[in-house]
Amino acid sequence: PLRAPIVITDLRTAEMIKYASNAFLATRISFINEIASICEELGADIKEVAAGMGYDKRIGHQFLDAGVGYGGSCFPKDVKALEYMASIHGCHPQLLRAVMEINRDQRRQVIHKLRELLGGRLQDKVVGLLGLAFKPNTDDMREAPSAEIAHLLQHEGAQVRGYDPVVVENASRELPGVTLYADPYELAEGCDALVVVTEWNEFKHLDMARVKPLMRQPVLIDGRNIYDPAGMQALGFIYRGMGRGYANQ
């Protein structure tokens, strides 16, 4: 009744279909993030680049959103497992290793941008993270980019705040030392910078004209490219997106 194709195969092949599918989607994400890094240096806009690529029917639009990288229960685990199985059986999974390395680099890019805009040091700076779950519409914190970004910020001496529309209990357990807020405007008050980590729809509709005067410094790192750079700059924000070269210059 589902009218769905059924593939009957051996156990090893079935397992490989699952691993390869998730690894391929993770590769698409890391690919577009690498292109985003190049866009920043060349003055191109990754949003427009991804849109143009997606109109090629051989490529499509899905999983071409540049940002702070993938997380969750499937992609990190499956790419790592596939890389490990390949290694112990004498293969050289260099593409899979690059996928994981690029994903880690996306978190570090946030720190580099913050350092650049906050005087070269993050010691005692107050940074607010907008979104803590690994993706919107879930409370799942497994391999969430927010956890690694928070850890890197704390390592550099920053005071880290966090807000998420859903994640509360999980965040307090997964993000030790991060002060959690129940309201994004309260979180913004006194911050030196805000970082969009999860693309919750709520954040797209924040009153950013209200947010800006609450902050000590109006630095905005748009880790999911949900805002219009020109609009944010017109409001007085010091804006940095991911791969939005023309806006980051």
Side-chain angles (χ1 to χ4, degrees):
L2 296 178
R3 296 183 180 178
I6 297 174
V7 179
I8 299 175
T9 185
D10 61 274
L11 183 62
R12 285 295 186 189
T13 302
E15 184 179 25
M16 185 56 68
I17 290 170
K18 189 260 190 182
Y19 278 120
S21 296
N22 280 341
F24 180 73
L25 296 177
T27 300
R28 282 178 66 100
I29 295 170
S30 286
F31 175 82
I32 203 65
N33 280 330
E34 178 136 303
I35 297 299
S37 297
I38 300 170
C39 284
E40 287 203 9
E41 298 302 320
L42 299 183
D45 182 359
I46 191 60
K47 293 280 283 187
E48 298 297 322
V49 171
M53 290 172 59
Y55 287 118
D56 187 326
K57 293 181 180 179
R58 298 168 299 175
I59 297 173
H61 289 95
Q62 290 188 313
F63 293 90
L64 288 182
D65 293 315
V68 293
Y70 60 78
S73 62
C74 293
F75 289 2
K77 170 179 63 65
D78 285 359
V79 177
K80 186 176 181 180
L82 189 55
E83 184 273 337
Y84 173 76
M85 289 187 292
S87 297
I88 64 173
H89 286 89
C91 299
H92 182 51
Q94 53 188 332
L95 178 58
L96 297 177
R97 290 169 181 161
V99 167
M100 293 186 286
E101 182 179 353
I102 293 167
N103 202 55
R104 287 191 296 267
D105 284 346
Q106 293 307 109
R107 280 77 147 153
R108 299 187 189 110
Q109 277 201 32
V110 171
I111 309 304
H112 295 327
K113 292 176 191 294
L114 287 169
R115 276 203 221 103
E116 173 197 346
L117 299 175
L118 295 176
R121 298 176 68 251
L122 299 180
Q123 184 72 36
D124 297 325
K125 301 296 184 182
V126 181
V127 180
L129 304 182
L130 290 172
L132 303 173
F134 87 91
K135 67 177 182 179
N137 305 315
T138 181
D139 65 351
D140 198 338
M141 286 286 298
R142 286 176 289 184
E143 300 286 343
S146 62
E148 188 169 359
I149 291 171
H151 175 76
L152 291 170
L153 287 169
Q154 290 169 331
H155 180 73
E156 301 214 6
Q159 300 175 36
V160 185
R161 301 176 176 182
Y163 167 76
D164 191 279
V166 173
V167 173
V168 177
E169 182 179 344
N170 290 351
S172 61
R173 183 174 61 251
E174 299 290 338
L175 302 173
V178 175
T179 305
L180 301 178
Y181 285 75
D183 180 87
Y185 299 102
E186 289 180 15
L187 172 133
E189 190 165 358
C191 276
D192 293 291
L194 292 176
V195 181
V196 178
V197 183
T198 312
E199 61 273 36
W200 284 96
N201 198 50
E202 175 182 334
F203 300 149
K204 300 175 184 178
H205 300 287
L206 285 179
D207 184 353
M208 299 304 287
R210 176 184 169 190
V211 169
K212 192 254 181 181
L214 295 173
M215 299 176 67
R216 188 157 60 188
Q217 299 185 66
V219 172
L220 176 61
I221 307 297
D222 189 356
R224 296 295 184 180
N225 292 337
I226 65 173
Y227 297 120
D228 172 57
M232 293 301 103
Q233 290 164 353
L235 288 174
F237 284 97
I238 302 170
Y239 175 92
R240 291 291 185 275
M242 306 297 286
R244 314 200 76 172
Y246 78 96
N248 289 349
Q249 293 176 343

